[in-house]
Amino acid sequence: FNVKIFSFCDKGTSSTSFSSKSSNKMLARLKEFDLYRKIPKDLTETSFHGSVLSICASIFMLVLFVAELWAFLSMQVTTNIVIDPNTDSLLRINFNITLLDLPCEYAMIDVVDVLGTRQDNVTKNVNKWQVDQAGIRRGYEGRNPEQKDLMHDIHHDIQQLHENGVHAVSIDDTNFEPWLQHHEYTFVNFYAPWCIWCQRLEPVWEAFAERVEVEQLPVSIVRVDCVEMRDLCMVQKIMAFPMLRLFKNTEPQSPDYRSDRTVDAMIDFIRQRLATDEHISKMLPEEKIQHLQLKQEQKDDHPGCLMSGFLLVNRVPGNFHIESRSKHHNMNPTVANLSHVVNHLSFGPILTKDSSSKLEVIPGKYFSMNSTQPINDRAYPIIKLHQAFHHYIKVVSTQIEVNSHYVGADAILAYQMVESSQLMMYSEDEVPEARFSYDISPMAVVITRKGKHWYEFVTSICALIGGTFTVLGLLSGFLNIVFKPKKN
């Protein structure tokens, strides 16, 4: 029994010994692939210069590591110029402009480009507000409505009307004020002989004056030639011909007459005014004061206009301009004043607050929001007559890739501008215009903001550590040869 037990134990021991030998052989073979074999310390020696180089190497590698880590954590901004990939056929122009001395009813926007496209009196997406003397919005005029057609009487003959005398008296600057003081109500036609609308109105105005006399209305009907009485019309700020204005004593009654140019329409206007004044005269003193205060607030004594909106234009060079024009008037070039303030002017879609906040991480030397609206809040006043400012704008498409989520077609799109303004002179018979000429660059700027990938960081760290260790190792070997003691 004992013999059998020992035999079994011997077999188990021999099996264990065999597996252990196999493992040792495998480890021995694996060690043969060791690329970093160590030299026993007994076979190495230290030196003073080796210690100095080791300390220098450690400091140098630490500095390089910190610099590389800083570069990895920071973002780099690069710029590139490419052909503009934008395939949109239209470009949006956003504007907010205050005209300091031009009524909204005469302020028109036209668009012209090199393709021959012309849009006169653009009304879509354009809003108008009246402004007071300080340039502050006062009353909403609406979405730049088209001027309505006016009715004209055409059956009056001026020669037949003059057979029984002239009823519409012509006055000049010598008797203008005395005439107004002598008559409680005076209806004045400010005209110019060269004006086609004034020529059409002349027989109607004479027939209207005769009708007023027949009906014995307490209104004197007169007319003023603004070519002969230029200074008088400038004082009265006559911006268009014909201008029909009612005076009560010496005070102009706002607003000016702008309805149909027929005898019946003007007679109705006079009757309504007389009836209104009679009603006011019967008011209680407190009501009359309130009415006069309200009337003073609504008085249209400062012809300013704020125009705001956007235009959709072809992506080709062109211009949009603001000028004084009317469908049923001839403008007076003498008093056409295009002084304006550019509150806002930009190209392209309006950036959201989220997009604008993301662009703040781009350094100012690469991109700034001010470069997309360089003439915002600038005033361009006109001091002399027959002048107007022309603005020349170079537009450059800019794509900003702020991070990996905003690249390619998803990049933030903005349009940078380079602007120059010139004061232009006009002849005496030309109506000035505030012109904004634009030219779209065929090249686009791509601004990319990105950092290093993690594998680039790891590769750089390995390279600087290995390179430093190798170079200083070679230097250490050279120094060992130099300072090695010579054998006798």
Side-chain angles (χ1 to χ4, degrees):
F1 176 78
N2 291 333
V3 173
K4 291 181 178 180
I5 291 175
F6 284 123
S7 298
F8 177 78
C9 290
D10 291 340
K11 290 180 180 179
T13 302
S14 62
S15 175
T16 303
S17 175
F18 176 78
S19 62
S20 176
K21 290 180 179 180
S22 299
S23 299
N24 291 334
K25 289 181 178 180
M26 292 181 64
L27 291 173
R29 290 179 179 179
L30 184 61
K31 288 181 179 180
E32 293 179 358
F33 293 98
D34 186 5
L35 301 177
Y36 305 98
R37 300 185 182 187
K38 298 180 179 179
I39 301 175
K41 289 186 177 181
D42 297 339
L43 301 178
T44 61
E45 61 180 355
T46 60
S47 63
F48 175 76
H49 62 267
S51 301
V52 173
L53 288 176
S54 299
I55 295 173
C56 294
S58 301
I59 296 174
F60 186 66
M61 286 188 290
L62 179 62
V63 172
L64 291 180
F65 175 79
V66 173
E68 193 65 28
L69 180 62
W70 179 264
F72 173 71
L73 297 177
S74 61
M75 304 295 287
Q76 294 182 347
V77 178
T78 59
T79 60
N80 193 18
I81 298 178
V82 300
I83 295 178
D84 192 353
N86 198 321
T87 58
D88 295 338
S89 60
L90 298 177
L91 177 64
R92 173 169 169 155
I93 303 177
N94 313 289
F95 65 92
N96 185 307
I97 300 173
T98 299
L99 302 166
L100 301 177
D101 200 18
L102 185 64
C104 286
E105 63 174 322
Y106 299 141
M108 305 294 176
I109 294 183
D110 301 335
V111 178
V112 183
D113 62 36
V114 296
L115 296 179
T117 305
R118 183 181 182 90
Q119 304 177 48
D120 291 334
N121 189 21
V122 178
T123 59
K124 187 177 181 181
N125 304 319
V126 178
N127 295 286
K128 292 181 178 179
W129 285 267
Q130 291 182 2
V131 295
D132 60 15
Q133 191 171 2
I136 300 175
R137 292 190 306 186
R138 183 172 63 180
Y140 182 56
E141 288 286 323
R143 278 188 172 271
N144 191 22
E146 294 187 4
Q147 294 179 342
K148 65 178 183 178
D149 293 330
L150 299 180
M151 299 292 295
H152 293 77
D153 282 345
I154 58 175
H155 57 275
H156 302 289
D157 187 347
I158 189 66
Q159 294 181 353
Q160 293 181 358
L161 293 171
H162 284 171
E163 289 179 354
N164 59 347
V166 177
H167 303 278
V169 181
S170 295
I171 59 177
D172 54 29
D173 53 0
T174 60
N175 61 349
F176 183 77
E177 287 292 333
W179 187 283
L180 297 182
Q181 295 173 359
H182 182 71
H183 297 83
E184 182 178 6
Y185 293 96
T186 304
F187 204 7
V188 184
N189 172 20
F190 295 93
Y191 73 98
W194 50 263
C195 168
I196 184 63
W197 300 107
C198 301
Q199 296 171 12
R200 294 184 62 179
L201 179 64
E202 183 180 5
V204 181
W205 191 253
E206 181 66 23
F208 167 63
E210 185 176 350
R211 177 86 170 270
V212 169
E213 290 184 5
V214 171
E215 297 190 11
Q216 297 182 351
L217 296 175
V219 181
S220 65
I221 310 300
V222 299
R223 59 183 195 158
V224 175
D225 185 349
C226 285
V227 174
E228 296 291 336
M229 303 295 118
R230 176 177 175 176
D231 295 339
L232 173 61
C233 293
M234 289 186 65
V235 172
Q236 294 295 325
K237 295 184 178 180
I238 305 302
M239 307 191 68
F241 305 123
M243 180 65 68
L244 308 180
R245 181 171 296 172
L246 179 66
F247 289 83
K248 185 176 182 181
N249 295 324
T250 58
E251 286 293 323
Q253 302 299 294
S254 179
D256 295 327
Y257 180 78
R258 296 182 176 92
S259 299
D260 293 336
R261 294 170 186 169
T262 63
V263 173
D264 292 338
M266 290 187 286
I267 288 292
D268 291 340
F269 170 76
I270 292 297
R271 288 174 176 171
Q272 290 176 6
R273 275 303 176 93
L274 295 175
T276 301
D277 288 351
E278 184 179 0
H279 175 70
I280 294 173
S281 63
K282 296 179 181 179
M283 287 182 177
L284 296 175
E286 295 80 4
E287 295 178 349
K288 186 179 295 185
I289 293 175
Q290 292 178 357
H291 176 79
L292 293 176
Q293 290 177 348
L294 179 62
K295 187 176 180 180
Q296 186 65 27
E297 292 175 358
Q298 297 176 346
K299 187 176 180 181
D300 188 13
D301 58 346
H302 188 79
C305 184
L306 185 148
M307 306 183 73
S308 177
F310 66 90
L311 305 171
L312 293 176
V313 301
N314 295 322
R315 291 180 65 91
V316 297
N319 73 81
F320 73 93
H321 52 268
I322 302 174
E323 67 176 344
S324 177
R325 193 172 69 248
S326 175
K327 190 175 181 180
H328 302 289
H329 297 82
N330 286 109
M331 305 312 299
N332 184 3
T334 304
V335 295
N337 188 347
L338 271 296
S339 297
H340 59 278
V341 177
V342 180
N343 305 305
H344 176 81
L345 179 64
S346 64
F347 288 75
I350 298 293
L351 295 178
T352 62
K353 290 184 177 180
D354 182 57
S355 298
S356 299
S357 62
K358 286 182 171 60
L359 294 178
E360 293 178 356
V361 300
I362 304 295
K365 65 179 181 179
Y366 296 102
F367 178 82
S368 171
M369 287 300 297
N370 292 332
S371 64
T372 64
Q373 44 201 19
I375 61 175
N376 279 16
D377 300 321
R378 288 192 187 179
Y380 299 91
I382 305 300
I383 301 176
K384 297 181 180 180
L385 298 175
H386 309 294
Q387 294 180 345
F389 275 96
H390 287 196
H391 309 276
Y392 302 91
I393 304 169
K394 190 72 173 182
V395 183
V396 181
S397 174
T398 306
Q399 300 180 20
I400 304 108
E401 300 176 347
V402 292
N403 54 45
S404 58
H405 300 289
Y406 294 87
V407 295
D410 296 327
I412 299 176
L413 178 62
Y415 288 87
Q416 299 187 85
M417 301 160 49
V418 179
E419 181 270 345
S420 176
S421 299
Q422 300 291 334
L423 188 60
M424 306 300 293
M425 298 295 298
Y426 285 80
S427 62
E428 292 187 359
D429 58 345
E430 287 184 308
V431 178
E433 61 183 21
R435 178 175 297 183
F436 297 81
S437 300
Y438 52 87
D439 185 11
I440 304 170
S441 174
M443 310 303 292
V445 178
V446 180
I447 301 175
T448 305
R449 178 179 178 268
K450 62 180 181 179
K452 282 188 175 182
H453 296 93
W454 65 269
Y455 52 84
E456 295 177 335
F457 173 69
V458 173
T459 303
S460 299
I461 293 298
C462 293
L464 68 89
I465 293 176
T468 303
F469 188 85
T470 302
V471 171
L472 292 181
L474 294 174
L475 181 60
S476 176
F478 174 76
L479 294 177
N480 284 336
I481 296 175
V482 173
F483 296 104
K484 183 177 181 180
K486 295 182 180 181
K487 294 182 179 181
N488 295 326

